[in-house]
Amino acid sequence: MERVVNNKIYPSLFKWVVALLVLMPAAVLGQKKDGQPILEKTITLRFTNERTDAVLNTISREGGFNFSYNPSILDPGRLVSGEFNNKPVREILNTIFSGKIEFRERKGYVILQKPSQVTKPSEKNESFVYSGYVRDEAGVALPWVSIYDKTSLESTISNDYGFYKIRFSAKHLPLTLYFSKQGYADTIVRLNIETPSYNNITLGRPALPVAPVIDYDSLSVNAENTVQSFFNTLEGEPNALNIKDTLYRKYQVSLLPYVGTNLQLSGNVINDYSFNVFGGISLGTVKAELGGFFNLNKSDVKYLQLAGFANLNGGNVSGVQLAGFTNLVKNNVEGVQLSGFVNADLGSARGVIMSGFANSVKGNMKGVQMAGFANIAMDTVTGFQGAGFANVVFKSMNGVQLAGFINIVPDTLKGTQLGIINYAGHVSGSQLGFLNVSKSTTGIPVGFLSYVHKGYHKIEISADELFPVNVAFRSGVNSFHNILTAGLDPFSGDSLLWNFGYGFGSSVVLSPKTFLDFDLTGSQVVKANSIEKINIINKFYLGIDTRLAKNVSIAFGVTLNGQVTNTGYSRYPDVVSYYEPQIFYDESWESDNTRLQMWLGAKAGLRFF
């Protein structure tokens, strides 16, 4: 047996069905048995030329268990000698029987039996089992050591007591077996038919400080239910820590993770093509991958990836990615990403991303992002966002946002927002919605109400020829602002006459302190608390707004008024109490029982801002 130390050997895989952790967060990495296994109990004993059956009795007495065997399979009277200091029962038995007897434990017994495989295979269809303990130079058992063969992709991991067992077909011999553990010098063992089946391996002292011991049972149970923590968990699995090697295959066919052509080294293999009947795991995919339920790749995927339920990738995706439920990508996406429910990308994205429910991109987004419910981009977006409910960009947006309810860009928006509610830090473009809010803008917000913190917002108190007291709130920008208005006539008698209305206006700068105003409003006139049919006064206003002091201006101008009423209703209140306007146009339309009266008027007031 040749032993070679090589610090450039690379590593292997994870031992558990990682992909199912996304679907079942309580999945187990590997459960430990209750109590210490009998074969791993350590005892100290010394015997010289003693009968085999007497030695077995001594071992059972020291270990606190019983043996069960047929004397015909061994020579009970054979004399044996040995000295063992704190060695496990398994190792003592292998030494006594030279690996020619198999043993297994069951309910407090160790059962000895004939070997189920030959120790020196001669036929190509026969198999050979190698086993032993992996320890450091001080003799301390090393758990979670990755043991693998690059050619056959057979692999295993040493258990909590440092024991390993691996089976090979005779056709693979001779071969090179790799032993890898994070922080230790990698070791190579050359195996052939003549090599003993039982081999203890010693790994050199750590070349680097040993990483803290990880409790993998609690890791799988307590990992956060987020994409980031999921991929971090994969990177902390023993083979991911131990093995730095990358293997390549033309194709992979698997039923489940590690149940396929790449065996337990599936997580260390990059495939050109991968077909997973239910689900599978790969280090990466170069050309195409198809999964009946899910695909899991630890690194990059190119060109095409299809899954009935989920695609989970720990690297970049370039090409087309489709899943019936979700696509989760740790790094960047470039191409087309489609899912029935959600796409979550922890890097940047470029291309077309569409889902039935939500899309989330942690980095920059360039292209088209569309979701049935919401799009979330935690950096900048260049392109188009369309969502049934909300679009949220944590930084800036250059393009168009279209949402059924709300659009949010806390930084700069260069483009257009269309939604019921639109919010942006600075707008260089336009906002169209019921409510538009921004800190500043060089564009035009259009909606029922727009508020720009560094824009146009004034409170107006005025009087006109019909109502001596009017209050209005004007908000938006100079070129286009909304007007909410109300007025009353305190001289109307016992029943109060008042009005409420809405409109929009525009102010043209004539000088730093003077503006030319154009307003168009419509107000419903109400008697007491009863709205008497349609009684709307539409008013077009042309006037001057000139500043008197820092936050006060005076506004005055002329109005063109048009009162619309229903000809079938005769009990309209008298809207004139102190001034009789000169009606210059009075027309009725019998087809829809509508009357229009028009006159010229005036308005004057003070504005505060």
Side-chain angles (χ1 to χ4, degrees):
M1 181 176 67
E2 177 186 1
R3 180 174 171 212
V4 180
V5 174
N6 183 351
N7 290 327
K8 295 183 179 179
I9 304 305
Y10 307 99
S12 67
L13 84 108
F14 336 176
K15 187 136 186 194
W16 38 285
V17 184
V18 247
L20 296 183
L21 285 176
V22 175
L23 313 176
M24 296 179 290
V28 179
L29 285 171
Q31 296 180 347
K32 301 177 182 177
K33 296 180 181 179
D34 294 334
Q36 187 181 35
I38 295 174
L39 291 172
E40 304 301 344
K41 288 184 177 181
T42 57
I43 60 176
T44 298
L45 73 161
R46 180 180 180 179
F47 45 91
T48 304
N49 292 326
E50 292 190 26
R51 288 173 56 92
T52 300
D53 53 2
V55 171
L56 291 178
N57 290 334
T58 302
I59 295 174
S60 65
R61 183 176 63 253
E62 294 293 328
F65 64 92
N66 296 309
F67 281 107
S68 174
Y69 60 91
N70 186 339
S72 64
I73 69 171
L74 50 87
D75 182 2
R78 183 172 66 93
L79 300 181
V80 293
S81 300
E83 182 176 352
F84 301 93
N85 184 26
N86 288 325
K87 296 298 182 182
V89 171
R90 186 198 308 274
E91 185 170 351
I92 296 173
L93 293 176
N94 266 307
T95 302
I96 293 174
F97 296 112
S98 301
K100 297 178 180 179
I101 294 293
E102 279 191 355
F103 33 83
R104 59 188 177 90
E105 61 181 82
R106 181 180 177 86
K107 296 181 178 180
Y109 283 85
V110 171
I111 303 171
L112 306 182
Q113 56 191 23
K114 289 183 179 180
S116 58
Q117 74 287 326
V118 295
T119 56
K120 292 185 178 180
S122 57
E123 300 296 333
K124 292 298 183 180
N125 60 351
E126 293 175 336
S127 63
F128 198 178
V129 174
Y130 294 91
S131 63
Y133 284 88
V134 185
R135 298 186 175 98
D136 64 13
E137 292 177 331
V140 178
L142 294 178
W144 301 97
V145 178
S146 298
I147 301 107
Y148 65 100
D149 168 49
K150 292 183 181 180
T151 303
S152 65
L153 297 183
E154 293 288 352
S155 66
T156 188
I157 295 176
S158 63
N159 66 14
D160 293 335
Y161 307 96
F163 180 74
Y164 75 93
K165 185 175 182 180
I166 188 168
R167 183 189 300 268
F168 292 101
S169 171
K171 66 182 180 181
H172 292 134
L173 299 175
L175 56 81
T176 301
L177 198 58
Y178 295 84
F179 292 77
S180 299
K181 183 172 178 61
Q182 185 187 34
Y184 286 80
D186 290 350
T187 299
I188 298 175
V189 177
R190 312 289 186 186
L191 301 180
N192 53 50
I193 292 179
E194 301 301 324
T195 303
S197 61
Y198 184 81
N199 296 285
N200 291 334
I201 304 298
T202 301
L203 298 188
R205 291 189 180 277
L208 297 171
V210 181
V213 176
I214 300 173
D215 182 352
Y216 294 98
D217 290 330
S218 62
L219 181 63
S220 66
V221 174
N222 299 323
E224 298 173 27
N225 189 21
T226 65
V227 179
Q228 184 67 60
S229 67
F230 171 72
F231 287 113
N232 287 344
T233 300
L234 301 191
E235 293 170 359
E237 193 275 336
N239 279 330
L241 295 173
N242 295 335
I243 301 177
K244 303 296 184 290
D245 206 357
T246 300
L247 307 175
Y248 295 90
R249 289 292 185 272
K250 188 72 176 177
Y251 66 89
Q252 169 188 249
V253 178
S254 69
L255 177 63
L256 290 168
Y258 309 112
V259 183
T261 56
N262 289 343
L263 306 175
Q264 292 189 14
L265 285 179
S266 301
N268 290 85
V269 179
I270 294 177
N271 307 288
D272 282 356
Y273 300 94
S274 179
F275 175 72
N276 305 306
V277 178
F278 184 81
I281 183 172
S282 303
L283 179 60
T285 301
V286 176
K287 294 183 180 179
E289 183 171 42
L290 173 64
F293 192 69
F294 70 89
N295 300 307
L296 174 59
N297 286 260
K298 293 167 59 180
S299 62
D300 299 345
V301 172
K302 287 186 178 180
Y303 306 134
L304 179 63
Q305 188 179 46
L306 307 176
F309 184 79
N311 292 307
L312 315 168
N313 296 320
N316 302 311
V317 172
S318 301
V320 179
Q321 188 180 47
L322 295 94
F325 184 77
T326 184
N327 294 305
L328 307 180
V329 179
K330 183 179 179 182
N331 291 336
N332 305 322
V333 174
E334 185 167 355
V336 178
Q337 191 179 48
L338 306 175
S339 73
F341 186 72
V342 64
N343 294 308
D345 304 320
L346 298 188
S348 61
R350 176 180 296 181
V352 178
I353 298 179
M354 303 175 68
S355 72
F357 182 75
N359 298 306
S360 175
V361 177
K362 185 176 181 180
N364 299 323
M365 170 66 203
K366 293 183 179 180
V368 177
Q369 197 178 34
M370 299 183 68
F373 183 76
N375 293 305
I376 299 174
M378 301 182 72
D379 209 302
T380 61
V381 173
T382 301
F384 174 81
Q385 279 187 320
F389 183 78
N391 294 305
V392 180
V393 177
F394 278 62
K395 292 186 178 179
S396 60
M397 170 82 187
N398 188 349
V400 177
Q401 281 186 319
L402 173 63
F405 184 69
I406 188 171
N407 296 301
I408 298 176
V409 180
D411 206 326
T412 300
L413 168 68
K414 293 182 179 180
T416 303
Q417 285 181 321
L418 299 96
I420 295 176
I421 298 175
N422 298 307
Y423 172 80
H426 174 76
V427 178
S428 178
S430 59
Q431 292 177 304
L432 288 83
F434 181 82
L435 174 63
N436 302 306
V437 180
S438 64
K439 294 180 181 178
S440 62
T441 182
T442 56
I444 299 177
V446 179
F448 178 80
L449 181 63
S450 298
Y451 178 82
V452 181
H453 183 69
K454 295 182 179 179
Y456 179 99
H457 30 79
K458 298 182 178 183
I459 295 176
E460 176 185 276
I461 300 176
S462 64
D464 58 27
E465 73 279 3
L466 300 182
F467 290 88
V469 180
N470 296 287
V471 177
F473 174 66
R474 308 164 68 90
S475 179
V477 294
N478 285 334
S479 56
F480 185 86
H481 44 265
N482 309 110
I483 303 172
L484 300 176
T485 182
L488 61 85
D489 181 1
F491 311 109
S492 58
D494 295 337
S495 297
L496 182 66
L497 188 66
W498 59 285
N499 71 78
F500 63 93
Y502 172 81
F504 50 86
S506 179
S507 297
V508 179
V509 179
L510 299 180
S511 73
K513 293 185 178 182
T514 305
F515 298 84
L516 178 64
D517 289 339
F518 301 89
D519 295 350
L520 181 62
T521 59
S523 300
Q524 171 73 23
V525 179
V526 180
K527 183 73 169 180
N529 59 0
S530 176
I531 297 179
E532 303 288 349
K533 299 293 184 179
I534 180 174
N535 189 7
I536 296 178
I537 297 178
N538 300 297
K539 189 184 297 286
F540 174 75
Y541 167 80
L542 176 63
I544 297 295
D545 180 350
T546 184
R547 184 177 300 176
L548 298 178
K550 182 178 180 180
N551 295 316
V552 180
S553 65
I554 185 172
F556 54 90
V558 297
T559 60
L560 173 63
N561 301 274
Q563 183 179 17
V564 179
T565 56
N566 191 319
T567 57
Y569 186 75
S570 60
R571 294 183 295 167
Y572 285 110
D574 185 3
V575 298
V576 177
S577 60
Y578 63 94
Y579 172 77
E580 184 70 34
Q582 298 298 314
I583 306 297
F584 68 84
Y585 181 86
D586 190 342
E587 183 73 27
S588 297
W589 291 271
E590 294 183 1
S591 59
D592 54 6
N593 297 324
T594 302
R595 181 184 182 187
L596 173 62
Q597 294 177 296
M598 300 182 67
W599 67 91
L600 295 176
K603 186 181 75 169
L606 294 175
R607 292 176 179 172
F608 304 91
F609 50 93

